[in-house]
Every structure is written in structure tokens, then in C-alpha cells.
Amino acid sequence: MAILHNLGYPRIGEDRELKRAIEKFWQGKIDESELKNIGQQLRQQNWQTQQSAGIDLLPVGDFAWYDHILQLALTFGVVPSRHRHNEDASALTQLFNLARGTSNEQGNQAALEMTKWFDTNYHYLVPEFEANQQFELGHSPLLEQIDEAKAQSLPIKAVVTGPLTFLYLGRFEHEQKLLLLPALLKGYQQLLAKIAEKGVDWVQIDEPILALELEPAWHQAFADAYQTLGQSPVKLLLTSYFGSISIPLSDIAKWPVSGIHLDLIRAPEQLDAALNQWPIDKVFSLGVIDGRNIWRSDLNYWLDILEPVNRSRGDNLWLAPSCSLLHVPVNLEREHKLDSELKSWLSFAKQKLSELVALGHHLDNKIDETDRYYLALSQQVVASRAQSLRITNPAVRSRIDRLTEDDFHRANRYPERAKIQHQSLKLPLLPTTTIGSFPQTSDIRATRSAFVKGDITQAEYDAFIAGQIDEVIRRQEQLGLDVLVHGEPERNDMVEYFAPYLNGVGQTQYGWVQSYGTRCVKPPVIYGDVSRAEPMTVRWSTYAQSRSDKPVKGMLTGPQTILGWSFVRSDIARADVADQIALALRDEVDDLQKAGINIIQIDEPALREGLPLKRSQWLEYLNRAVRAFRLCASIADDATQVHTHMCYSQFNDIIASIAQMDADVITIETSRSAMKLLDAFKDFNYPNEIGPGVYDIHSPVVPKAQWMEKLLILASEKIPLERLWVNPDCGLKTRDWPETLASLQVMVDVARKLREQFKNS
Ligand code: GLN
Ligand code: ZN
């Protein structure tokens, strides 16, 4: 009989209870014990939900305050020395300090860096290893939670991120990371021994880096590490997800692990070889319900595949979602505003468990009423999606079919365009600009939520937005910026904002997913062919332009970013969805320029994070991403200046693709790397204009003029002056007004000073 298990359940709670509680704790409104109680209640609820759905083996250790990698780092005492001064703080306060940074008489202790968890929109905190790093098992929330679950006699397995993944994701500047492995393994051995003492048989040991193309040294390290850990008195379920395992299963079969988990949603092609290579007497766990997306499964499809596997593997077949359900919203039942058709196509964490159970019960011939309901629904949904007119839009398809190479090129090349643009825009040397958003004040947030609740009318809301734009324009003129923005006060989020204007894209009410710490996002749902329902930004862009004689940039979010931060249909290729989004944006670009907007920025901050986990697949992705960008931008006339913006600090390996996007101007984040990043642009001989960020917007500190000046001079040594712009690293929406005005004034003054200097030299 197949065993049904779950890799992890969303920790935020149906109503984002965890977020609310932690934020209250930070504000001093509840104390630590109250916060811990709420955490415990959430864990109880989650276990109960999973158990009543029919899951046989419940995960313990998937819950984390803020982030599970941070929690694991603390378990092993991996705390950078700058944070070690505060020894009497409680473990929980220590954890929040590491996550958010602290300041005291000795200055600021920066938070740990935050980075994307593989190709998801979840961010983990990067452990920092120091020279001679030791990994002593200290206070372990996992062990406490095991006690909690055991006290209720729940059937559990422990969940822990494995040592290779933990090491790989951390930062170690001293020598090769793998040299730390022996010490780290000691910590893991201690932890596994304690887990065994508590009477837990199984440990799900997550090694998602198995889906990367690892260097041989890491392959060897895997083999060595699991030789060691395999001696522990627990059974290890070596768990991969997000892609196919890059180490041959026939090798892994020789390691002393008791089971393997494969993600058959992302890498279904693994199954056949695995059936041949994975020993029949070891547990074979298959991830068959999509843990990364929100579509209801085609259960019949899986029944056909799994029936023979179930016969041959018997009790050693385990079934689960493909990965932790951390990446999907909690409960679809709460969505009352979705129309019934779209809602029937969806499945959130809670529903996914029932799908899994229905599948398992059917395989073992023990279906009950609920299973029958889920099986029937699945069948019905497959049929309804195949036929629904909302999915396929013939007009979109034929527009895509009719595209020609010309649709992917501007009329002229950059040098000719630049001449035309410089004549019409009449910008000074070193033009100054910002990235788009200005502070999203509490006033803006309160007014938006009053509008959403229906407390104020559309007319009142519009008048408010107009007033905000007036103010932002006035302030920018006062600062003396050369290219203005409207400030984005009407946008809650740079992706969510566009969803209501796009056919084929839906929005949930409570579809929250943890992005980092207490921040949750509600990704739009791209369910069908995408087209623009009506102009999306023209109104406020033209309004803003009407308030100034200086150019005001039109502001759009690019196709890769809309794609990357949404739940995307899985019945056609993602790159094809990106093309459809690009066409919708192309219409917007055209309308903007027709309405007199001469500079249009298409943000693509998510371009890099969309890179496939396996490097051998990068080029294919990049080529399609570049084409999608060009498809929306190339409608711009020569005189329309196209900007793009990206905010990360690694361009070396994708610079050729960035150049192929052929934006007239790119603004990027460079200040934190002191312009080192520009080397990539210099070495490549980047042909168009660049605005390297001259100050870090993540900090409220007003940068010193000397510092900005130094950065700009550095930049001018790498980029020809006539192609250099001056701007902050990113949008200013998270900042407050006083520091924003002060910082921008320094920036404008520095640009003016250097402009004079360079003219005279
Ligand atoms: N235009 C957006 C803003 O300024 C860009 C945000 C981003 O790069 N993430 O907020
Ligand atoms: Zn940015």
C-alpha cells in the first residue's frame, strides 16, 4: 500500500496569522510567549489539516520563524561575529536580529543577505561561515517540535535541509566551502542522533541542489557525506525537487540512504530510469502533485502511470507533492470572489493533499466519498479546461503566428536612434533620473485600502492619486532632476497592478505565499491566452507628463517579470506565455508614445532569477527572454527612448543577452559593489547607455557627496561619458520622504558638479 506523505505545509496560516503575530511582536504588542503560542497553534492546525486529509506521515520541521535556513544556521551556531555581542538575547530575538539587522552603540550590524531559494520566489537568509567555523548542535526548534507532535502521538517524519545544500547556499570567503563539510557533518550526526532518541524513524533530508549541475567535487562530497550520515540510527529519505537529479541514481543507490524522493512534476522524464536503477527494497517516493503551481491535477493521468509502479513497489512506494507546499497558497475554500469555473481549476495546499489522498486511495482500491469527489472533479476540470473559451483566444494565437522578424527589431540601430533622441530630448551630459517609485507613504496605503474596501469612491481615489502625482512632479522639479517619473502611487505591486488589465489573468483574494520573513505576495494567476483588455498606464503617465515640461518616463513591468511573479498556466510553454504578455505590453508602449510619452521604461528585475537551475538550459531561456523584451520594445519609434531596469549585481554571465535586449538605456544596481559590476559592461563593450546606481536605496542613510562623486568618477572610467546616466540603485517606494529628498539632492548636485568639471576638462 502506497504511503502518503507531505514534504512541508505553508507556515504562514490561512489568514497570514504568522505574519501578523511576528509583526506584533516586533512592535512590542505581544510578548515572546504569546508569539510562541501562536506558532504552536499554527503547527497544530497544520498537522491536523494534513492528518484529516488522510496523509500518513506528517512533516515536522517545516515550520520556521522567518526562514528555515536561518533557523538551521542558528541550530548549528552559525552566527557571524558581528552579531555575537548580544549573548543574553533569547534565541528568537537573536534570530530576528540576524534576519533584520540591529544597531547599537557600536554601530549597525547588517542583516544576513537574502537570496532567492532556487527558482522560487521564496527568499532564504544566506548563512555566513567564518574561518574555522564549528557546527555545534545548540538549541533546536526541530527537536522541540518533535516533542510537540509526539505528545499527541502523531505519525511524523522529521524534515531538515541536508548538509550539502546548507553548505552550498552559505557564504564562505576564506577557502573552499567543502573543507567545512567534516565539521558540519558532526553537527548533523548529533542532530540525527537526537531525532532518533525521540523515537522518530524517518528523516526527510532535503537536498534541492541535487537538481543543479554540480561539479564533480560536490558529487564526491555527496557520496562521502551520505556514507557518514547513513550510519545514523534513523532512516534517511534523500529528497530532491525542482528538477531532475544530476547524480546517477545507480550511484545514489549505493549510499546508505533508505529512500529517495523525485519531483515528477518538474522532471517526469526521470521515472523510467529510476524504475530501473532504484532498488526495490528501498523507499521510492514520487512527487506527483505540483507543489509549485496551483492547478488541479489530472489524477487519471497519474493513475495510469502509477498503477504498475504500485504493483511492483508495494509498500515501498510513497507518494507526495513534488516539493514543499510552502510555495502555494493555503486554502482555496476561502476564495469567494473567483468565478466558479476558474475556481474549479485551482487547488491550493489543503486541496492538494486531498488530491494526493484520492490518488493513493484509488491505487489501493480504498476510495471513499471524498476521494470520489476529487477524482470526479479532476476529470471534469481536465475536460473543462480543454474546451473553455477562456483558455484559447484565437485572436492572440493568430497575432503570434503572424509575427515576423521585423517585429523584434527597432527601425534603426542604437547609434542612429541615439542621435534622434538626443536632439529631441535635449538632455544634459550625465542626465539624472530615478527608477520609478517614490515613497509609498502610509497615506497612500490607507487611501488605497479605503478604496478597495469601498469606503471612498473611484472619483475620490483618482483625485487623491492625481494629487500625489502633482506633488511628486513638483518635488522632482525642485530637486532639478532631468527625467522625471510619476512615482507609481497607484500601484500596490509592480506585477499585481497589471493583472486586472490583462485578459487571461485572474486574481485571488487570499492567495498569499511567503516571499521572505513576514512578507507575503499574492501572485496573479495566468490561466489563459493573455491580451490587453484596455490601456493600463496611459492615463496616469499622460497626466504626469501634462504637469511638467521635462520628460516624464512611462513605466511598465516587462514580460519576464510578470511571468516570474505569477502562477503560470502549465498547458503551454512559459516562453510562449511571455510572448503573449509581450504583445500586450507592446500595445501599451505604442499607446504611450502616441500619447506623447517620449521615454518608456520596461522593468525586468526578474530576468535573471528566471534562469533555469541547470546551466546547460540558460541560453535557450535567455534567447526567448530577449526576444520577448524586444517584442514589446521594438514598436517604439526611433525617437522614443526605451529604458530597462534590473536590480541585482551579477551581469557577467548574461551580459551578451542584456545587450541583445537593445534598450537605449539600462539602469542597474551597482553602488553596493562600488561599480565593480561595471567591469562586465566595460569588458563586453556594452554599446548603449547605462545608469549605474550611485546609491543604495535599501538603507535610510543619506549618502555622502564624496562617495557618490567617487562612484561616478569610477563609472566614467568604464563607460564613455556621453552614455552615462545618474540614478539610484532601484525604486524608492520603501523609503521615507525626508531621506529620499536629501539623497536625491546630493545626487543631483554631484551630477551638476561633475558635468561642469567634465565639460571643462
Ligand atoms: N519601477 C519600479 C520601482 O521603482 C522598479 C522596481 C524594481 O526594480 N523591483 O519601484
Ligand atoms: Zn530595482
Side-chain angles (χ1 to χ4, degrees):
M1 268 202 326
I3 292 200
L4 308 175
H5 70 124
N6 185 25
L7 272 48
Y9 200 72
R11 49 180 87 118
I12 54 174
E14 266 188 31
D15 212 17
R16 289 179 294 159
E17 292 90 335
L18 188 63
K19 167 202 179 67
R20 292 181 213 279
I22 295 177
E23 287 175 354
K24 270 194 201 148
F25 172 70
W26 289 343
Q27 291 156 8
K29 289 186 187 152
I30 59 173
D31 64 17
E32 186 166 323
S33 71
E34 275 175 278
L35 177 60
K36 285 187 165 163
N37 278 339
I38 295 172
Q40 187 168 2
Q41 278 164 22
L42 281 168
R43 291 192 291 273
Q44 301 289 350
Q45 279 166 18
N46 288 350
W47 288 327
Q48 225 215 313
T49 306
Q50 296 173 81
Q51 198 175 29
S52 28
I55 298 296
D56 301 314
L57 211 46
L58 313 175
V60 176
D62 52 347
F63 179 89
W65 300 107
Y66 213 96
D67 167 45
H68 54 280
I69 295 297
L70 172 61
Q71 198 142 296
L72 191 56
L74 278 168
T75 298
F76 292 129
V78 179
V79 177
S81 45
R82 67 175 181 283
H83 278 282
R84 248 178 259 150
H85 55 90
N86 207 347
E87 304 273 279
D88 359 299
S90 71
L92 197 55
T93 300
Q94 270 243 347
L95 179 143
F96 290 139
N97 287 347
L98 282 165
R100 307 170 74 212
T102 47
S103 61
N104 59 14
E105 316 78 55
Q106 286 114 48
N108 295 336
Q109 293 84 41
L112 297 189
E113 193 192 318
M114 199 164 59
T115 299
K116 294 242 156 193
W117 176 247
F118 298 87
D119 57 359
T120 73
N121 281 328
Y122 177 81
H123 300 71
Y124 69 94
L125 289 152
V126 181
E128 290 175 29
F129 307 127
E130 298 186 333
N132 301 317
Q133 180 73 52
Q134 295 304 303
F135 301 88
E136 290 291 331
L137 180 63
H139 166 79
S140 161
L142 169 61
L143 294 173
E144 282 176 10
Q145 288 161 23
I146 290 175
D147 290 339
E148 235 170 81
K150 281 276 170 188
Q152 297 168 70
S153 322
L154 295 171
I156 56 165
K157 69 177 164 175
V159 178
V160 64
T161 302
L164 280 306
T165 295
F166 180 68
L167 199 58
Y168 191 93
L169 297 181
R171 199 162 71 191
F172 187 44
E173 265 140 25
H174 302 275
E175 43 196 342
Q176 277 202 1
K177 269 193 229 172
L178 281 173
L179 294 173
L180 295 176
L181 189 58
L184 179 60
L185 289 178
K186 287 204 187 105
Y188 270 87
Q189 281 174 306
Q190 289 171 358
L191 180 63
L192 295 178
K194 286 267 195 266
I195 293 173
E197 268 171 36
K198 295 197 179 286
V200 176
D201 294 334
W202 277 96
V203 176
Q204 167 192 323
I205 193 149
D206 286 3
E207 291 284 14
I209 63 165
L210 283 169
L212 308 178
E213 283 158 346
L214 295 167
E215 287 163 25
W218 283 82
H219 281 208
Q220 191 54 48
F222 255 107
D224 297 345
Y226 281 89
Q227 273 310 331
T228 306
L229 294 186
Q231 313 308 324
S232 304
V234 281
K235 294 182 192 154
L236 298 179
L237 178 71
L238 182 65
T239 303
S240 67
Y241 38 80
F242 303 155
S244 61
I245 297 194
S246 58
I247 300 179
L249 272 194
S250 46
D251 289 356
I252 299 181
K254 295 180 202 132
W255 307 349
V257 295
S258 305
I260 187 104
H261 173 82
L262 306 176
D263 179 344
L264 289 195
I265 299 292
R266 284 296 277 277
E269 72 283 359
Q270 299 185 98
L271 180 61
D272 286 342
L275 280 169
N276 290 325
Q277 295 176 2
W278 194 250
I280 210 92
D281 58 347
K282 287 189 177 197
V283 163
F284 193 52
S285 168
L286 300 179
V288 292
I289 301 287
D290 195 345
R292 291 285 299 276
N293 216 333
I294 53 172
W295 308 109
R296 194 170 286 284
S297 309
D298 182 350
L299 296 179
N300 279 329
Y301 167 87
W302 285 110
L303 280 172
D304 287 346
I305 291 178
L306 293 174
E307 260 157 12
V309 185
N310 192 36
R311 272 195 304 269
S312 62
R313 300 268 161 172
D315 288 349
N316 279 336
L317 174 65
W318 289 18
L319 297 175
S322 56
C323 60
S324 167
L325 298 175
L326 178 67
H327 310 291
V328 292
V330 185
N331 186 3
L332 182 70
E333 286 156 26
R334 306 195 44 172
E335 298 293 331
H336 296 300
K337 290 198 178 156
L338 280 179
D339 69 87
S340 58
E341 186 183 41
L342 180 54
K343 186 170 171 181
S344 74
W345 297 345
L346 307 182
S347 171
F348 293 177
K350 187 170 175 203
Q351 290 69 40
K352 283 175 185 286
L353 298 175
S354 300
E355 291 185 275
L356 179 71
V357 170
L359 189 63
H361 285 180
H362 193 293
L363 281 174
D364 288 327
N365 291 318
K366 52 174 196 186
I367 48 177
D368 63 15
E369 268 318 295
T370 320
D371 301 328
R372 223 182 300 277
Y373 166 81
Y374 275 94
L375 289 161
L377 193 58
S378 164
Q379 212 163 9
Q380 187 190 317
V381 163
V382 171
S384 118
R385 283 183 72 186
Q387 289 155 9
S388 173
L389 294 173
R390 299 165 72 172
I391 298 249
T392 310
N393 178 341
V396 173
R397 297 292 168 106
S398 83
R399 211 176 151 195
I400 296 267
D401 288 344
R402 279 182 284 117
L403 290 175
T404 65
E405 248 344 90
D406 283 348
D407 296 314
F408 296 87
H409 293 273
R410 305 278 295 270
N412 277 298
R413 290 159 41 86
Y414 166 77
E416 287 103 78
R417 300 195 307 257
K419 265 184 232 137
I420 299 171
Q421 291 163 15
H422 291 171
Q423 266 163 24
S424 60
L425 293 169
K426 299 195 177 57
L427 297 171
L429 191 68
L430 300 177
T432 53
T433 190
T434 62
I435 306 303
S437 57
F438 270 100
Q440 288 259 336
T441 56
S442 47
D443 199 19
I444 295 182
R445 283 198 299 266
T447 311
R448 183 182 305 125
S449 94
F451 173 57
V452 172
K453 282 196 210 118
D455 294 347
I456 61 169
T457 64
Q458 178 83 49
E460 284 167 321
Y461 181 64
D462 289 351
F464 173 81
I465 295 293
Q468 292 292 317
I469 293 175
D470 292 346
E471 187 61 17
V472 164
I473 295 285
R474 189 185 65 78
R475 290 184 160 174
Q476 294 174 91
E477 288 191 331
Q478 223 160 44
L479 286 163
L481 285 153
D482 301 306
V483 171
L484 313 190
V485 296
H486 78 289
E488 306 177 24
E490 80 288 17
R491 302 186 191 179
N492 38 357
D493 171 277
M494 66 187 291
V495 169
E496 213 182 313
Y497 172 77
F498 288 87
Y501 300 96
L502 294 169
N503 299 317
V505 182
Q507 263 180 313
T508 64
Q509 238 181 316
Y510 301 103
W512 298 102
V513 180
Q514 186 179 15
S515 171
Y516 64 85
T518 60
R519 180 159 162 79
C520 301
V521 292
K522 204 157 44 113
V525 178
I526 303 180
Y527 58 82
D529 286 347
V530 177
S531 59
R532 193 180 67 147
E534 56 180 299
M536 310 184 276
T537 64
V538 175
R539 175 180 180 190
W540 292 123
S541 287
T542 48
Y543 176 75
Q545 184 62 81
S546 75
R547 311 301 285 175
S548 181
D549 295 332
K550 295 208 169 162
V552 181
K553 288 191 269 193
M555 198 58 64
L556 301 174
T557 301
Q560 270 342 295
T561 303
I562 292 187
L563 193 72
W565 296 348
S566 300
F567 286 117
V568 183
R569 60 194 288 196
S570 44
D571 57 333
I572 65 173
R574 287 173 70 87
D576 293 336
V577 181
D579 282 349
Q580 296 180 356
I581 302 171
L583 273 183
L585 291 166
R586 181 181 173 96
D587 294 343
E588 189 73 8
V589 169
D590 200 24
D591 280 352
L592 282 169
Q593 69 181 355
K594 285 184 178 136
I597 304 299
N598 298 321
I599 306 186
I600 299 170
Q601 178 173 314
I602 307 167
D603 290 328
E604 277 291 29
L607 185 109
R608 194 189 159 90
E609 69 190 44
L611 283 170
L613 294 177
K614 293 191 167 53
R615 214 180 164 113
S616 54
Q617 296 162 6
W618 278 22
L619 198 60
E620 191 189 335
Y621 161 83
L622 284 167
N623 287 343
R624 288 295 302 259
V626 167
R627 271 177 80 77
F629 183 89
R630 294 172 66 126
L631 182 56
C632 57
S634 58
I635 189 82
D637 299 332
D638 286 345
T640 303
Q641 189 172 60
V642 173
H643 289 217
T644 189
H645 165 71
M646 295 174 197
C647 35
Y648 32 80
S649 45
Q650 281 169 282
F651 282 93
N652 294 304
D653 45 6
I654 58 167
I655 185 79
S657 302
I658 302 289
Q660 281 166 17
M661 288 167 67
D662 197 27
D664 297 300
V665 182
I666 180 170
T667 53
I668 51 172
E669 173 185 321
T670 32
S671 79
R672 279 190 285 187
S673 65
M675 300 285 155
K676 269 200 220 83
L677 166 61
L678 282 183
D679 289 339
F681 287 80
K682 184 184 179 200
D683 297 344
F684 182 79
N685 214 346
Y686 184 77
N688 305 4
E689 291 159 56
I690 307 183
V694 293
Y695 79 87
D696 176 14
I697 59 90
H698 297 90
S699 156
V701 177
V702 178
K704 298 248 179 317
Q706 294 94 304
W707 170 244
M708 278 198 216
E709 209 176 307
K710 192 180 125 196
L711 287 182
L712 267 176
I713 290 173
L714 271 175
S716 71
E717 286 158 6
K718 303 184 186 195
I719 308 294
L721 268 190
E722 53 295 346
R723 288 200 260 125
L724 198 54
W725 285 64
V726 181
N727 46 262
D729 267 347
C730 190
L732 298 160
K733 66 167 164 253
T734 55
R735 295 271 60 90
D736 286 331
W737 271 109
E739 77 239 21
T740 298
L741 290 177
S743 304
L744 289 176
Q745 195 63 67
V746 179
M747 184 184 92
V748 170
D749 292 345
V750 166
R752 281 183 174 146
K753 178 177 163 196
L754 288 182
R755 203 174 279 159
E756 287 313 308
Q757 267 179 27
F758 286 132
K759 258 193 233 152
N760 299 333
S761 65

